[in-house]
Amino acid sequence: MRLLSYNIDEKLIACIEDIYITDIAEDVEDATYHSEVRNYNLILIKENNIFACKEILKKINSQVTAVIIITDNNSKEFELELLKLGAISILKEPVSNEFILAKIESIHRENFKNVIPFKNGYKINIQEKSFNHDQSKVYLTGKSFAILSYLIKNKHRPPISKDELLHAIWDEPEMVSDNVIEININNIRNNLKKEFDENFIETVRHRGYKVIPN
């Protein structure tokens, strides 16, 4: 998963940089630019200027990107307008890193779990990089495992596009052809089919991929 941060405590970022690919904006203009050219699962910014916040919110797809704004601005209008534009939470200063981290976890709860159940007793183990059922396990390496875990974490959403997968998983998505997604999807299917004799991933034409529900 991918995170854009601006003006955020380094200690907080250190707590989550193993969970999110993290882009750190240099200033609010840089944050606005990044929110336009990359797809993010989470944008975390500290900003008091409502116009700057609105510019960022205009660039994102709120169905994919959760935006948390930390601010010293106590105006109720500030909060209401940004929530209406798609921000998921406005946190008023002073606010502790512990509270912010809890808020992030509440939004992407499965991203903080080590073992994620899928269906019919299947589960994915993040630490082992394995897909399990009873005593059977398939170990997937590199991006193949990252793609499968991302699809399972987002199993309740509509199909996930190749572009979203690239931005969520690769450090430099602009440098990668989307054909690499198809290669990894085929690798996942072949490995899981061999072990479990099932296909777990559906290709939705012109839309992307989705794990097959119960």
Side-chain angles (χ1 to χ4, degrees):
M1 300 187 89
R2 193 174 210 101
L3 162 72
L4 174 63
S5 77
Y6 167 61
N7 202 19
I8 302 299
D9 184 4
E10 292 180 0
K11 292 179 181 178
L12 175 60
I13 297 302
C15 292
I16 56 177
E17 61 185 0
D18 289 337
I19 299 173
Y20 297 89
I21 297 173
T22 303
D23 298 333
I24 300 176
E26 296 180 358
D27 50 40
V28 72
E29 289 80 12
D30 192 37
T32 303
Y33 169 77
H34 274 79
S35 64
E36 183 174 20
V37 300
R38 283 186 170 171
N39 295 326
Y40 290 95
N41 302 100
L42 177 65
I43 295 178
L44 181 62
I45 64 171
K46 183 177 179 181
E47 179 58 50
N48 297 324
N49 187 312
I50 190 170
F51 299 106
C53 295
K54 287 168 68 174
E55 282 302 308
I56 290 173
L57 288 167
K58 289 177 183 177
K59 309 297 183 184
I60 62 103
N61 177 354
S62 59
Q63 293 183 328
V64 176
T65 307
V67 179
I68 298 175
I69 298 170
I70 303 165
T71 184
D72 291 320
N73 190 328
N74 291 315
S75 164
K76 184 60 67 175
E77 290 74 18
F78 179 94
E79 182 174 11
L80 288 174
E81 187 163 359
L82 296 183
L83 288 173
K84 288 178 181 178
L85 285 174
I88 199 166
S89 188
I90 310 298
L91 304 181
K92 303 294 182 64
E93 290 277 41
V95 59
S96 68
N97 284 349
E98 182 181 12
F99 185 87
I100 299 170
L101 186 60
K103 175 62 71 173
I104 294 171
E105 186 171 352
S106 74
I107 297 167
H108 292 147
R109 193 165 300 282
E110 289 197 332
N111 210 41
F112 288 77
K113 293 180 179 178
N114 189 44
V115 177
I116 304 171
F118 177 37
K119 65 174 184 176
N120 301 332
Y122 288 97
K123 58 187 177 182
I124 193 165
N125 188 305
I126 302 300
Q127 198 167 49
E128 290 184 349
K129 297 189 184 302
S130 65
F131 188 74
N132 313 331
H133 187 269
D134 294 331
Q135 300 302 312
S136 299
K137 292 185 179 182
V138 171
Y139 292 93
L140 295 166
T141 59
K143 303 304 184 185
S144 291
F145 180 79
I147 289 171
L148 179 61
S149 61
Y150 190 86
L151 290 174
I152 290 176
K153 289 173 185 177
N154 291 280
K155 58 183 176 289
H156 301 301
R157 286 181 48 204
I160 307 296
S161 69
K162 290 181 181 180
D163 192 54
E164 181 177 340
L165 289 169
L166 284 173
H167 282 255
I169 295 169
W170 271 263
D171 288 333
E172 299 290 341
E174 299 85 359
M175 306 299 292
V176 182
S177 166
D178 62 9
N179 289 338
V180 75
I181 301 295
E182 296 177 20
I183 293 169
N184 279 278
I185 291 289
N186 287 334
N187 181 53
I188 296 166
R189 284 173 170 158
N190 291 338
N191 277 278
L192 300 189
K193 181 72 173 178
K194 181 179 179 181
E195 181 65 33
F196 303 113
D197 195 30
E198 288 196 56
N199 177 31
F200 295 94
I201 301 176
E202 176 185 3
T203 300
V204 182
R205 187 173 175 83
H206 302 309
R207 297 181 67 191
Y209 302 97
K210 184 174 179 60
V211 288
I212 299 172
N214 293 339

